[in-house]
Structure formats: C-alpha cells, structure tokens
Amino acid sequence: MPFGDGDPSRYPHRDEVVDYLTAYASRLDADIRAGHRVTEVRAEPPGFAVDLEGGDELAARAVVAASGTFGRPHRPALPDLEGFTGTVLHAAEYRTPAPFAGQRIMVVGAGNSAVPIAAELATVAQVTLASRHPAKFARSRSSAGTCTSGCGGPAWTPRGSAASRAPRPLSR
C-alpha cells in the first residue's frame, strides 16, 4: 500500500504515520481495538481467552504482547523545574512545530523520537539537541531515493532544502 501524500524527501510526520496505519488497518478487515486494557490472558484450547477491563472477553487463536511504553511516557524529575517558565513536553505530547515558531527550543535526547522532532522544529525555531552521548547518524534515503541524513549536509534535512536549519549539538 503506498504511503500517502507526504513529502517523499523527508521522513513522515507523526500524523502522516497515524493516517497511514489507520487506512492500512481498514484494508485488513480485522477486528482492531485500541484503548482497551487487557487484565488477563488465559490458554483456552484451541486458543486463548483475553479478559478486558470492564468485563468484556475476547477469544483469539494467537496473542501478541505489544505493550510499548507510549501509553505511559516517562517524565524524569528535573531539578528546579517548578521555577521554569517555559513549556515542557514529552515526545508523546508533541504534535506540530507551529506553536514553537521563532522560539529557542532544547530537545533532550538523540533517539528515534527526539531527532525527528528536533528536525521538524528546526524548520521554524532555533533548536539545540542535548544528549549524554554524541548522536550518530547513518546514511539513509527516503522512498523517493533522496538522501535524508548523513549526506554531507545537515543530518536531518535533505541537502539543498530551503528550510534546512539543523539543530545545534550542545557541547560541554
């Protein structure tokens, strides 16, 4: 299934991925449920019984435990945070760069959530990327075959992009 109408020269934004997965799920003609808490899974031949919070029960031939941490983001205690007057968001709460246009932003971390968020924010704001260890970028190509990182230009935008203002690494 083609990915959609996003810009093929960059990685897709969160909402583009959500739209794609929603469309893909509808094509599967499968009983996909979200927002249900599983309280118990029991083997009941020929498969399993799955108890949901609220009393509902499902029968399944197979069970895949895919309980990632996105439903409960970890926000570490930060010293003196109560005196900070700016905005603090977890990656799970981030939606769009628009509210941050023209601001100075620090993105903490250099993983699979932080770097794309920093790259997107860098199109509208001055971004600093802070991490315990130097970020490592591998050469990658979009579905259109254009280089999107590690290609001699900024690590997060295609070379020659009019909006390429790469996040600055924070040094000690």
Side-chain angles (χ1 to χ4, degrees), residues 50-119:
V50 180
D51 293 337
L52 303 179
E53 192 173 76
D56 288 341
E57 182 178 295
L58 304 172
R61 291 188 312 254
V63 173
V64 175
S67 55
T69 60
F70 296 109
R72 293 187 183 175
H74 173 68
R75 186 184 297 225
L78 301 172
D80 302 320
L81 187 60
E82 63 278 352
F84 180 67
T85 59
T87 301
V88 177
L89 291 179
H90 187 279
E93 299 167 310
Y94 174 80
R95 295 293 177 263
T96 177
F100 304 100
Q103 297 183 31
R104 290 179 26 215
I105 309 295
M106 177 171 295
V107 176
V108 178
N112 291 340
S113 297
V115 171
I117 289 171

Side-chain angles (χ1 to χ4, degrees), residues 103-171:
Q103 297 183 31
R104 290 179 26 215
I105 309 295
M106 177 171 295
V107 176
V108 178
N112 291 340
S113 297
V115 171
I117 289 171
E120 187 175 48
L121 286 166
T123 64
V124 300
Q126 180 183 337
V127 177
T128 300
L129 187 65
S131 176
R132 280 187 264 187
H133 305 288
K136 295 180 182 176
F137 299 96
R139 185 176 293 263
S140 62
R141 299 205 175 266
S142 71
S143 61
T146 57
C147 193
T148 58
S149 67
C151 305
W156 9 77
T157 56
R159 192 182 325 179
S161 169
S164 63
R165 293 191 319 217
R168 300 175 301 123
L170 181 65
S171 57

Side-chain angles (χ1 to χ4, degrees), residues 5-56:
D5 297 329
D7 181 351
S9 68
R10 62 162 169 74
Y11 286 104
H13 297 296
R14 175 202 172 276
D15 291 341
E16 292 169 334
V17 173
V18 169
D19 291 345
Y20 173 81
L21 292 174
T22 300
Y24 184 77
S26 68
R27 289 183 62 182
L28 291 177
D29 192 29
D31 182 12
I32 297 175
R33 300 178 188 206
H36 296 274
R37 184 168 303 278
V38 174
T39 58
E40 184 178 7
V41 177
R42 298 181 309 284
E44 286 193 6
F48 298 89
V50 180
D51 293 337
L52 303 179
E53 192 173 76
D56 288 341

